[in-house]
Amino acid sequence: MELADRAVGLLLSSISLSIFTYYTFWVIILPFVDSDHFIHKYFLPQDYAILVPVFAGVTLLSLLSVFIGMVILKSKKKKA
Amino acid sequence: MKHVVKILSLLVAVSAFWIVLLQAAIVPQSHTLLLPIYFVVSLGCYGLLMVGIGIMQFPTCPQEADLLNHDIAEAKDFLSTNGIDIGTY
């Protein structure tokens, strides 16, 4: 149905926009803010700004390769 | 071959720009080191955004859906009267 499609699309775009603004704030704006401003409470320490995307990327790559490996094994088993 | 050369030269240009920015130290160095990761994350975000917008704008064709259902009913009728068994699966 159209409404469900719209809702899913809206959810996806809102998630991506929020991730983008949070990450922009984290990486670009926060280093220029004084360290005793209250806004630093809402953001994790800056080391996590590298760890979280790298961890997510590594997880994504490993899930993809596991999926490809399973598909290859399944096709080999069917042929033999 | 030519397309790969274009992409590789773009990559080399971007990395040279990044190294120059690191050396010039206009912005603090710890700041500049995070720049490639930031661009990769924003590229992923942009891809997700385009997918979401595409999902929202995907056109449904209710008349075509009706016509198609009509065609399916007609075909089922024809095949069942001519003796071919169609179980819905």
Side-chain angles (χ1 to χ4, degrees), chain B residues 7-8 10 16 20 26 35-36 43-44 46-47 49-50 53 55 60 65-67 69-70 72-73 75 78 83 85:
Chain B
I7 294 181
L8 276 180
L10 187 68
V20 160
I26 309 174
L35 215 53
L43 179 75
Y46 171 74
L49 185 73
M50 285 292 120
I53 290 185
I55 291 180
T60 58
D66 268 337
L67 284 179
N69 279 334
H70 199 66
I72 292 177
F78 175 76
D85 176 35

Side-chain angles (χ1 to χ4, degrees), chain B residues 39-68:
Chain B
F39 279 132
V40 169
V41 167
S42 67
L43 179 75
C45 252
Y46 171 74
L48 266 183
L49 185 73
M50 285 292 120
V51 167
I53 290 185
I55 291 180
M56 277 204 299
Q57 290 185 338
F58 198 79
T60 58
C61 326
Q63 299 138 332
E64 271 77 356
D66 268 337
L67 284 179
L68 194 61

